[in-house]
Amino acid sequence: MKVLISGPPASGKSTLISKIVDFLKKNDIKVGGVITPEIRENGIRIGFKVVDLMTFKECVFASINYRSSYKVGKYFVDIVLFESIAINALENAEKESEIIVIDEVGKMELFSKRFEEMVKRIFIGHKPVLAVIHRNYLEEYRKYGKVYWLEREKWNEIYNSVLSKIQKIFQFHR
């Protein structure tokens, strides 16, 4: 089971992933992988961090304050910092978790070829995956799983569909 979430900006993709992760953890499902929450100061987004869902190690990997040849909009991306958390998190998730979460597969993250290779390996692997795919990369990744297009108006409907699919998977594996 590979579930891919995509949609327009601010449709609630990361919120959906976060709520599913909370549900899984409350039900003693071992969740591994990464999330990339935004960092805000005084209500203004200034960057993104990468967080390992198993160890909670984290670092800022994209910021308006960095300088790098890798840039998306106003954010400069530090690939070394990103990989220092993301690669280990995904390798450990492959070995130890019951489901792998990747939020998100987007331009910033895909500057890392190691990350891209690992994501593709995870998608063809045997473990369940729940991933956010940036809409610009959806065509390349849709072959790996079931795509849910999330829009604000359909948030509850999509959340319930994804949750139902995940509940079915773990009822069969427990």
Side-chain angles (χ1 to χ4, degrees):
M1 181 236 27
K2 312 294 191 256
V3 172
L4 312 179
I5 309 293
S6 194
S11 56
K13 300 177 293 291
S14 293
T15 301
L16 186 143
I17 295 287
S18 173
K19 290 196 178 298
I20 301 260
V21 166
D22 289 346
F23 172 84
L24 290 166
K25 287 181 173 183
K26 283 179 187 154
N27 285 280
D28 298 320
I29 305 291
K30 195 165 187 182
V31 179
V34 292
I35 55 171
T36 54
E38 58 184 33
I39 302 163
R40 291 187 171 267
E41 264 183 22
N42 301 319
I44 297 167
R45 187 167 65 190
I46 60 160
F48 296 87
K49 59 185 173 179
V50 58
V51 180
D52 180 327
L53 287 169
M54 290 175 84
T55 66
F56 303 107
K57 286 182 184 170
E58 64 178 58
C59 72
V60 176
F61 79 97
S63 173
I64 59 174
N65 300 316
Y66 288 170
R67 291 297 171 257
S68 153
S69 55
Y70 300 101
K71 189 176 179 192
V72 177
K74 62 184 178 181
Y75 307 103
F76 292 90
V77 180
D78 187 320
I79 295 172
V80 173
L81 286 175
F82 176 72
E83 289 180 346
S84 74
I85 301 292
I87 300 303
N88 286 338
L90 293 175
E91 285 175 344
N92 289 337
E94 275 186 306
K95 293 177 203 151
E96 300 173 27
S97 72
E98 294 177 79
I99 184 169
I100 301 171
V101 172
I102 306 169
D103 180 16
E104 95 175 62
V105 178
K107 187 172 183 177
M108 285 185 201
E109 296 83 7
L110 291 172
F111 281 133
S112 166
K113 294 303 164 206
R114 288 177 65 203
F115 176 78
E116 182 177 19
E117 289 166 9
M118 177 147 287
V119 166
K120 289 180 177 177
R121 186 176 84 206
I122 285 168
F123 277 141
I124 60 173
H126 68 280
K127 289 205 173 169
V129 177
L130 176 61
V132 172
I133 309 294
H134 188 282
R135 64 195 177 284
N136 292 349
Y137 298 94
L138 194 52
E139 285 312 308
E140 181 180 351
Y141 285 89
R142 75 168 51 251
K143 65 186 173 202
Y144 294 111
K146 169 119 174 85
V147 174
Y148 291 87
W149 184 259
L150 184 62
E151 294 177 357
R152 273 194 171 306
E153 312 77 52
K154 294 188 173 183
W155 195 92
N156 285 329
E157 177 187 331
I158 299 298
Y159 171 79
N160 289 329
S161 293
V162 171
L163 188 60
S164 173
K165 188 170 184 74
I166 286 172
Q167 285 173 314
K168 284 179 188 164
I169 293 299
F170 286 106
Q171 286 172 355
F172 294 133
H173 287 92
R174 292 200 161 262

